[in-house]
Amino acid sequence: MTEGRRVWAGLQLLDRQLIAHEERLAGCIDDLELIASDDGDQLHVTAILSGPGALAYRLGRRRFGRWLRRVHACASPTGDRDSTRIPFNVVTDIGSDVKLGLDAEETGSASAERWTRDHVISHIPGSGHAPE
Amino acid sequence: MHLSDLLHSQVLGADGASLGSVDDVRLVQDGPLLLPFGAAFRVEGLMVGHRSVGTRLGYVRRGVRGPWLLRIIFAALERRARYVPWDDVVAWDGRTVRVGKRRDELGVVVP
């Protein structure tokens, strides 16, 4: 990473594709988390927010977006960690896409799909067989 | 706080006049260390204005040369936009950004 580089958040970060550690697509950057510095004078980017809840919040559906993020957190495979929040320190490269040092399973973009697989599909007789 | 809160905020100058809304946020990578990523991104400034669509599309910024007709159109639009360094921001309550300068004291060109 080059120290001091400058980017336009809306133009160069929002909606960029996230690529997980194993080169799988892992959703898009729907929003960024900003935290004020201790003295309150500066704002720092601390996390990427990705998933339907983050997108709904960004599009102005604030209450619905917060609710959807809570639902996704409940379905998260990472336990108590909100998988729609990706800490910025796991970013490994920023270019035309954004590469992460996480597996796609640890991100929130496919949590509904995972929950359905684990709690519904897996209980259907015969679902343990790979498709032929 | 979310970036989208900032992007939707209205901006008021020192005289109380509206400068428009925040169209984009400039980040610089010189914040606290977030290992192994490196320095965190810090909010350095805001692009504000009623007509800064060209700025959001990337026209007129340094290194963008054409097509010439679009460059001329967006250059005219961008002249209405203003760049607000974060150091000039007096307060932000999540909906409204208050700037310590008037529109004519703010620069058009991003430093």
Side-chain angles (χ1 to χ4, degrees):
Chain A
M1 280 303 149
T2 305
E3 297 288 315
R5 84 156 137 175
R6 289 172 166 82
V7 297
W8 288 97
L11 188 70
Q12 294 171 278
L13 289 178
L14 287 185
D15 298 322
R16 290 295 163 119
Q17 179 71 55
L18 294 170
I19 307 289
H21 181 60
E22 71 275 33
E23 296 294 317
R24 281 176 59 192
L25 304 182
C28 293
I29 298 180
D30 292 316
D31 211 340
L32 297 174
E33 180 186 80
L34 302 176
I35 299 288
S37 59
D38 292 340
D39 57 11
D41 289 342
Q42 304 293 339
L43 287 176
H44 296 116
V45 179
T46 51
I48 291 168
L49 304 175
S50 176
L55 183 60
Y57 185 93
R58 176 178 149 200
L59 296 177
R61 303 286 182 235
R62 303 291 161 93
R63 191 174 297 178
F64 177 66
R66 286 193 203 99
W67 176 81
L68 206 50
R69 279 191 69 190
R70 282 200 297 274
V71 169
H72 272 81
C74 293
S76 169
T78 55
D80 55 351
R81 188 176 73 78
D82 177 3
S83 60
T84 63
R85 180 186 181 277
I86 300 168
F88 220 92
N89 63 338
V90 302
V91 173
T92 56
D93 188 36
I94 297 174
S96 58
D97 51 31
V98 175
K99 293 185 168 46
L100 304 175
L102 286 178
D103 292 338
E105 287 286 311
E106 296 178 75
T107 64
S109 58
S111 55
E113 183 182 331
R114 280 193 300 267
W115 188 92
T116 306
R117 179 194 65 198
D118 296 342
H119 294 84
V120 180
I121 304 296
S122 64
H123 296 299
I124 298 174
S127 64
H129 299 287
E132 296 177 2
Chain B
M1 287 173 277
H2 294 188
L3 176 73
S4 57
D5 295 328
L6 196 51
L7 286 173
H8 292 148
S9 292
Q10 291 295 311
V11 183
L12 299 179
D15 53 359
S18 173
L19 302 177
S21 58
V22 178
D23 276 355
D24 210 339
V25 177
R26 179 129 117 153
L27 305 175
V28 58
Q29 194 181 357
D30 66 356
L33 278 179
L34 293 175
L35 293 174
F37 171 70
F41 280 106
R42 173 179 64 84
V43 173
E44 185 183 39
L46 312 172
M47 182 58 74
V48 304
H50 298 288
R51 305 287 182 93
S52 56
V53 60
T55 306
R56 292 198 69 184
L57 294 174
Y59 285 99
V60 189
R61 286 185 195 145
R62 278 176 263 177
V64 179
R65 295 194 177 89
W68 66 269
L69 180 60
L70 292 179
R71 183 164 54 84
I72 290 172
I73 292 170
F74 286 123
L77 292 175
E78 196 181 59
R79 276 194 284 273
R80 296 165 178 253
R82 290 290 181 275
Y83 180 74
V84 180
W86 188 255
D87 291 340
D88 290 337
V89 172
V90 176
W92 175 45
D93 63 5
R95 292 174 181 269
T96 306
V97 177
R98 296 187 184 279
V99 180
K101 290 183 176 176
R102 298 191 312 272
R103 171 184 284 273
D104 54 2
E105 295 174 314
L106 294 168
V108 179
V109 179
V110 179

